[in-house]
């Protein structure tokens, strides 16, 4: 697979790749580095890519930069796990703490479209109470955004991605119909359904960000099952093939392979633009507003690396909270062998979901919740899980892998508590851009462990009720949240409910690092919904001359 | 423990689909290179290379294959290019140094336990030695501060498995569908399969 430093930018000379056509191009508006644009956005993933489209459509001039390449899925994505490593942020980061987290392909993308290029498309909403979890549930922090507002934003995002989902969803307040009909269940999803029915809890076809019928230039999902390493069909609705084309059509410029190393500030402390490296050159983009959307590790890293005399502890960091309260989802799983052949490599990996334990408050003795989904890991992914959790290798491992087609599994997305000791800092060592490496520290707390233990016991029962044998379990984490939380005051948070820095009035954050709490569902819908919310607020503020 | 491997899909080979719609051009290109351009030794010295090969033979033994899936050459190639995987766990140095240090430590373990090089040990002793490291019972003195079990599982074994199970031969042996673009699958239920998938598991027939 190509190394990112050997690739050349594609989005140049007034055109950008057409993600829907082999070798195709679409026209792209370009801005000079010295031209002061309204917004420059660092990162084009779930948060940044969505915001770029919304702001450009509102008439703002936008330049969005991403450290990663601009792919054309049809011609660039191979059916090969090793080759597709090219989608991930593989630069070294130091991982410490009592429960150090795996980074890279486990939770960090580097492409135009960000981590959504390889997300597994599980498209869930937060439970309403989680936006006030301190007040109503007694843990974590409240969010400075009302759940009803978020509900509107979710609906907009679900329509923008034409989420395929069930007619009625068993948990939470009533929601509208999903835009596209639900997918057929694969055998692995049927295992989840059987287990739930045996144990008497609800299950549902999973709302999924891949289309169940043709949508414009996106063909329907062909159930090839390689979603986690990029969808070569373009059925998956990622930021790359939804909001990015919209952003380009509305006049935004997308600069691929552009690594931002610093946000610059003037003598008055306000942001003036960004310094970035593209094609071996150091450049500057001037802007009236800077948005940082690099996700929970790169966003704090960039802010900390942008210290200046006015901002000695890093930009936007008077609270000392930049990089703090980083969260993950626990990703514990139970696996079992079935007599029949499941062949879980077919279809999106998680076509069925159980959110029972996100809602059943009275039946549990820990804070937070979890959802669990059916699974379909690709071969190398599953081999690694087997080796790690069973402590095996050699002929024994090969023999166990021979049951690949008979396996099914249930895996949680488990809420962890925001703890300020879990954090991102700058290490002494620098990378090839001269930026200090991120040092990531993570330790679970007692509540996190209780939640994981509870889930393992429940899923063991569910999987064996469904007919699974020779059960074994695995641990691990997924997703990143927090690190620059939004809040109610300059003391309790890095940004306000609009994503605007308390310290620097023209600096914004728009990505997963905003999360005050993690919730027990996959984060991307909530990140996109926040981007929709922030874009609307920016429009409103501009209308009031309050930008 | 080292007895042989009994394949559930003996006559299935995903490469037979090469000219079908299951393979797109980039997949063909990637696999052609993997199958025909096996990298030459560049980064490791000859001794390290032989040691790594012996270790790989224990981690994924392939006694039944006349043409075993090559693993060491791809590890060496990644080190030559200075590839990283995004995570450097505390106590583990940068990739290149970690591999050098890990190999030296395994050599030292063999020397200390058996007074001979790992490569000259019989298969059972090699396997037992690696199991001790995998189970967390390595001798810290040989590892110069590097956490042995972490290196073994998160660096060494992971990379070996990522290379082995990305190979068509390994994917065929487990009955995986293999490359699947532009054509995916139609039959999704249990025990149902498309004609371009592996036929039913021999053990279930
Ligand atoms: C394997 C995997 C499966 C997942 N599955 C799901 C799922 O099923 N459902 C779900 O909801 N979520 C899922 N997620 C999580 C989801 O993809 C992320 O939470 C989400 O994309 C994060 O959005 P973001 O905008 O915060 O960051 P990202 O989408 O990661 O985007 C950040 C972008 O910023 C760029 N960047 C960072 N720093 C800089 C810089 N200094 N200069 C220039 N560019 C920079 C990066 O290159 C990257 O492209 C999954 C994640 C992974 C890794
Ligand atoms: S299963 Fe569907 S979404 Fe996943 S890679 Fe295949 S076509 Fe794309």
């Amino acid at each position: 697979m190509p190394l990112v430093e050997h690739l050349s930018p594609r989005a140049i000379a007034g055109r950008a790749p057409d993600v829907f056509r082999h070798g195709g191009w679409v026209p792209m508006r370009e801005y000079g580095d010295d031209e002061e644009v309204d917004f420059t956005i660092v990162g084009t993933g779930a948060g940044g890519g969505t915001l770029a489209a919304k702001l450009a459509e509102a008439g703002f001039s936008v330049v969005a930069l991403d450290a990663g390449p601009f792919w054309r899925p049809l011609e660039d994505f191979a059916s090969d796990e090793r080759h597709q490593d090219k989608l991930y942020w593989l630069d070294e980061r130091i991982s410490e703490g009592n429960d150090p987290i795996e980074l890279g392909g486990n939770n960090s993308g580097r492409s135009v479209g960000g981590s959504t290029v390889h997300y597994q498309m599980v498209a869930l909403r937060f439970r309403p109470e989680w936006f006030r979890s301190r007040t109503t549930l007694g843990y974590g922090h409240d969010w400075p955004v009302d759940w009803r507002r978020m509900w509107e934003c979710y609906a907009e995002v679900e329509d923008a991605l034409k989420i395929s989902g069930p007619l009625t969803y068993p948990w939470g307040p009533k929601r509208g119909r999903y835009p596209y009909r639900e997918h057929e269940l694969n055998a692995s999803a049927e295992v989840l359904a059987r287990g739930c029915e045996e144990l008497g809890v609800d299950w549902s076809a999973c709302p999924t960000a891949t289309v169940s019928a043709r949508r414009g230039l996106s063909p329907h999902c062909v159930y090839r099952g390689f979603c986690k390493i990029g969808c070569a069909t373009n059925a998956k609705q990622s930021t790359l093939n939804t909001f990015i084309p919209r952003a380009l059509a509305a006049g935004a410029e997308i600069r691929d392979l552009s690594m931002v190393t610093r946000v610059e500030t003037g003598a008055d402390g306000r942001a003036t633009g960004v310094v970035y490296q593209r094609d071996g050159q150091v450049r500057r983009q001037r802007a009236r507003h800077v948005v940082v959307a690099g996700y929970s590790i790169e966003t704090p890293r960039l802010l900390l690396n942008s210290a200046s005399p006015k901002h000695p502890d890093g930009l936007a960091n008077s609270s000392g909270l930049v990089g703090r309260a980083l969260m993950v989802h626990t990703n514990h799983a139970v696996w079992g062998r079935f007599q029949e052949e499941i062949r879980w490599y077919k279809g999106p990996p998680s076509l069925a979901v159980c959110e029972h334990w996100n809602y059943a408050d009275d039946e549990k003795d820990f804070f937070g919740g979890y959802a669990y989904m059916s699974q379909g890991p690709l071969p190398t992914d599953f081999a690694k899980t087997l080796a790690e959790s069973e402590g095996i290798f050699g002929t024994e491992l090969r023999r166990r892998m021979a049951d690949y087609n008979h396996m099914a599994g249930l895996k949680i997305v488990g809420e962890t508590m925001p703890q300020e000791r879990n954090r991102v800092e700058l290490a002494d060592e620098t990378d090839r851009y001269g930026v200090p490496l991120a040092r990531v520290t993570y330790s679970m707390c007692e509540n996190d462990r209780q939640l994981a233990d509870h889930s393992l016991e429940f899923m063991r029962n569910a999987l064996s009720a469904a007919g699974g044998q020779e059960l074994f379990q695995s641990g691990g984490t997924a997703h990143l949240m927090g690190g620059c939380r939004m809040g109610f005051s300059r003391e309790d948070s890095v940004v306000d409910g609009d994503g605007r820095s308390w310290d620097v009035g023209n600096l914004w954050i728009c990505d997963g690092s905003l999360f005050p709490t993690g919730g027990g569902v996959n984060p991307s819908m909530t990140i996109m919904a926040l981007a929709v919310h922030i874009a609307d607020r920016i429009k409103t503020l501009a209308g009031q001359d309050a930008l | 423990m080292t007895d042989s491997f009994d394949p559930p899909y003996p006559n299935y080979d995903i490469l037979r689909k090469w000219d079908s719609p299951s393979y797109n051009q980039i997949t063909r290109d990637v696999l052609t290179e993997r199958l025909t351009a096996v990298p030459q030794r560049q980064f490791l010295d000859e001794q390290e290379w032989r040691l790594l090969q012996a270790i790989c033979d224990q981690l994924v033994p392939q006694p039944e294959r006349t043409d075993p899936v090559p693993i060491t050459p791809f590890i060496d190639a990644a080190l030559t290019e200075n590839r990283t995987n995004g995570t450097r766990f505390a106590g583990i140095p940068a990739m290149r140094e970690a591999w050098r240090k890990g190999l030296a430590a395994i050599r030292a373990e063999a020397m200390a336990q058996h007074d001979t090089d790992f490569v000259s040990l019989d298969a059972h002793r090699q396997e037992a030695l690696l199991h001790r490291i995998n189970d967390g019972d390595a001798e810290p003195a040989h590892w110069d501060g590097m956490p042995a079990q972490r290196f073994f599982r998160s660096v060494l074994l992971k990379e070996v498995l990522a290379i082995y199970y990305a190979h068509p031969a390994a994917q065929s042996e487990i009955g995986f569908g293999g490359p699947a673009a532009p054509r995916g699958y139609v039959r999704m239920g249990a025990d149902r399969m498309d004609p371009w998938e592996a036929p039913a598991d021999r053990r279930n027939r």
Side-chain angles (χ1 to χ4, degrees):
Chain A
M1 62 122 175
L3 286 162
V4 72
E5 56 266 35
H6 297 162
L7 299 173
S8 305
R10 282 176 169 171
I12 46 172
R15 63 183 199 175
D18 180 346
V19 293
F20 291 107
R21 289 188 176 84
H22 287 268
W25 299 96
V26 294
M28 179 176 78
R29 168 132 192 218
E30 283 182 294
Y31 295 90
D33 282 357
D34 279 334
E35 218 172 312
E36 188 180 56
V37 292
D38 292 329
F39 285 88
T40 188
I41 303 176
V42 183
T44 61
T50 306
L51 188 73
K54 296 283 294 177
L55 291 181
E57 286 167 354
F60 294 105
S61 54
V62 174
V63 171
L65 306 106
D66 203 290
F70 203 143
W71 307 110
R72 289 188 193 93
L74 295 180
E75 67 190 39
D76 291 329
F77 291 174
S79 299
D80 185 84
E81 285 179 88
R82 195 161 172 82
H83 178 81
Q84 291 297 117
D85 269 355
K86 67 186 184 183
L87 303 184
Y88 303 126
W89 192 286
L90 299 177
D91 290 359
E92 288 205 319
R93 292 155 164 171
I94 298 166
S95 185
E96 301 184 345
N98 302 336
D99 306 283
I101 53 184
E102 189 181 334
L103 301 158
N106 189 43
N107 46 29
S108 306
R110 177 172 54 196
S111 294
V112 171
S115 306
T116 71
V117 174
H118 53 73
Y119 73 169
Q120 305 201 79
M121 313 167 308
V122 172
L124 302 179
R125 295 184 182 189
F126 258 44
R127 176 183 167 182
E129 288 83 350
W130 289 342
F131 294 104
R132 296 181 69 218
S133 63
R134 166 60 58 194
T135 309
T136 62
L137 301 168
Y139 68 89
H141 310 277
D142 289 353
W143 290 49
V145 199
D146 187 79
W147 78 268
R148 282 159 293 232
R149 168 71 186 136
M150 288 299 285
W151 232 238
E152 292 163 12
C153 297
Y154 280 126
E156 177 173 338
V157 169
E158 287 165 358
D159 189 58
L161 302 189
K162 297 290 181 230
I163 301 297
S164 302
L167 277 180
T168 55
Y169 195 68
W171 305 279
K174 202 168 152 39
R175 56 187 73 173
R177 276 184 66 161
Y178 282 100
Y180 274 42
R181 72 176 151 75
E182 69 185 49
H183 288 277
E184 176 189 349
L185 299 186
N186 59 8
S188 146
E190 281 167 359
V191 166
L192 181 142
R194 262 201 324 269
C196 286
E197 292 189 353
E198 289 293 327
L199 299 190
V201 297
D202 284 330
W203 65 275
S204 173
C206 192
T208 305
T210 178
V211 284
S212 52
R214 169 170 283 278
R215 174 204 191 182
L217 296 167
S218 281
H220 63 80
C221 174
V222 300
Y223 302 131
R224 60 186 282 271
F226 281 86
C227 329
K228 189 180 174 178
I229 58 166
C231 176
T233 310
N234 260 329
K236 173 193 282 194
Q237 304 293 291
S238 65
T239 310
L240 174 63
N241 66 5
T242 57
F243 286 107
I244 295 293
R246 272 173 62 176
L248 289 167
E253 179 183 348
I254 308 286
R255 281 187 208 146
D256 55 342
L257 295 168
S258 298
M259 173 70 185
V260 176
T261 55
R262 209 177 139 75
V263 177
E264 293 207 303
T265 43
D268 59 358
R270 285 174 64 84
T272 55
V274 297
V275 183
Y276 66 101
Q277 292 184 30
R278 193 184 202 198
D279 231 0
Q281 282 185 308
V282 177
R283 293 166 53 173
R284 284 185 165 69
Q285 177 64 52
R286 295 194 329 116
R288 280 183 273 281
H289 294 267
V290 173
V291 184
V292 184
Y295 208 5
S296 292
I297 293 174
E298 294 309 316
T299 289
R301 179 177 176 229
L302 179 59
L303 294 176
L304 293 173
N305 194 47
S306 301
S308 66
K310 275 250 179 228
H311 308 282
D313 303 321
L315 206 52
N317 196 24
S318 67
S319 63
L321 289 171
V322 167
R324 294 257 186 195
L326 176 74
M327 291 166 284
V328 295
H329 283 133
T330 40
N331 215 204
H332 292 66
V334 177
W335 313 88
R337 186 186 193 279
F338 287 74
Q339 180 59 33
E340 66 270 28
E341 288 193 74
I342 304 288
R343 303 206 178 203
W344 57 5
Y345 54 80
K346 294 187 279 188
S350 299
L351 284 169
V353 60
C354 174
E355 270 209 75
H356 178 79
W357 293 105
N358 273 334
Y359 289 84
D361 293 330
D362 298 340
E363 303 165 44
K364 61 191 181 200
D365 53 2
F366 51 85
F367 287 130
Y370 62 86
Y372 68 84
M373 292 97 189
S374 54
Q375 298 298 309
L378 291 168
T380 80
D381 213 6
F382 186 60
K384 290 184 229 172
T385 300
L386 197 53
E388 173 89 38
S389 51
E390 293 287 85
I392 57 173
F393 58 80
T395 305
E396 195 183 354
L397 180 82
R398 270 184 84 193
R399 209 184 285 127
R400 294 279 299 274
M401 275 301 285
D403 282 340
Y404 178 78
N405 282 349
H406 290 269
M407 299 300 298
L410 305 172
K411 193 186 245 191
I412 62 165
V413 166
E415 183 167 13
T416 64
M417 295 296 113
Q419 303 178 63
E420 286 181 13
R421 64 176 174 155
N422 289 335
R423 63 188 298 198
V424 179
E425 297 165 281
L426 300 181
D428 296 331
E429 199 180 326
T430 54
D431 68 5
R432 72 188 119 95
Y433 305 104
V435 181
L437 300 192
R439 183 192 299 118
V440 180
T441 309
Y442 191 82
S443 304
M444 284 169 81
C445 66
E446 195 44 42
N447 190 81
D448 298 343
R449 262 184 267 279
Q450 276 172 338
L451 183 149
D453 289 346
H454 181 280
S455 75
L456 288 170
E457 192 188 332
F458 190 80
M459 292 189 297
R460 267 187 178 273
N461 292 334
L463 204 59
S464 77
Q469 290 165 347
E470 300 166 40
L471 304 190
F472 73 97
Q473 63 195 46
S474 61
T477 72
H479 311 143
L480 301 164
M481 284 87 36
C484 286
R485 76 167 167 253
M486 60 195 322
F488 298 89
S489 74
R490 57 172 63 248
E491 288 80 33
D492 77 0
S493 52
V494 177
V495 298
D496 66 15
D498 301 337
R500 189 204 283 240
S501 156
W502 295 108
D503 299 344
V504 184
N506 65 341
L507 178 73
W508 310 70
I509 295 175
C510 183
D511 63 14
S513 62
L514 295 171
F515 285 31
T517 55
V521 295
N522 319 49
S524 69
M525 289 296 113
T526 305
I527 297 170
M528 291 186 204
L530 279 176
V532 164
H533 166 69
I534 290 170
D536 287 350
R537 286 294 300 153
I538 287 174
K539 275 186 271 180
T540 305
L541 291 168
Q544 296 164 348
D545 227 8
L547 260 193
Chain B
M1 273 174 128
T2 32
D3 54 350
S4 71
F5 170 77
D6 182 22
Y9 306 95
N11 298 314
Y12 172 66
D13 181 356
I14 62 170
L15 289 176
R16 269 186 232 131
K17 295 191 254 188
W18 190 269
D19 292 320
S20 81
S22 290
Y23 282 66
N24 62 8
Q25 195 51 45
I26 177 162
T27 304
R28 287 191 192 108
D29 293 347
V30 166
L31 290 181
T32 300
E33 179 165 342
R34 185 160 313 142
L35 295 170
T36 61
V38 177
Q40 300 290 309
R41 182 177 64 78
Q42 281 189 65
F43 177 78
L44 299 172
D45 67 28
E46 251 172 80
Q47 205 186 10
E48 289 168 328
W49 174 279
R50 264 186 288 120
L51 172 59
L52 181 55
Q53 220 147 15
I55 294 169
C56 290
D57 285 344
Q58 287 307 317
L59 299 182
V60 188
Q62 310 174 55
E64 82 286 8
R65 285 209 173 94
T66 44
D67 203 4
V69 171
I71 296 173
T72 308
F74 293 103
I75 296 175
D76 185 89
L79 291 170
T80 303
E81 293 171 324
N82 206 7
R83 281 179 194 276
T84 50
N85 65 13
T87 317
R88 192 199 297 169
F89 288 109
I92 305 232
M95 267 305 151
R96 286 177 161 178
E97 198 190 332
W99 280 88
R100 285 237 142 95
K101 233 174 153 167
L103 290 173
I106 292 172
R107 175 180 302 132
E109 293 267 0
M111 277 297 177
Q113 285 171 36
H114 305 288
D115 209 17
T116 177
D117 207 14
F118 184 90
V119 182
S120 346
L121 291 177
D122 66 42
H124 283 289
R125 290 216 160 109
Q126 289 183 342
E127 192 188 358
L129 189 148
L130 295 176
H131 268 296
R132 268 198 296 281
I133 301 171
N134 187 31
D135 296 342
D137 300 327
E139 173 51 53
H142 304 312
W143 292 80
D144 188 20
M146 184 161 82
Q149 189 189 37
R150 175 71 85 181
F151 168 79
F152 185 86
R153 290 187 173 192
S154 303
V155 180
L156 171 62
L157 184 53
K158 251 192 191 155
E159 180 75 347
V160 168
L161 295 176
I163 292 168
Y164 182 71
Y165 284 105
H167 195 280
Q171 298 187 347
S172 301
E173 97 184 7
I174 62 169
F176 175 56
R183 179 176 63 187
Y185 303 102
V186 182
R187 293 164 184 80
M188 300 259 280
D191 281 335
R192 301 202 61 212
M193 56 228 38
D194 292 323
W196 54 94
E197 295 183 67
D201 184 338
R202 180 177 63 71
R203 299 168 297 181
N204 276 26
R205 270 179 266 158

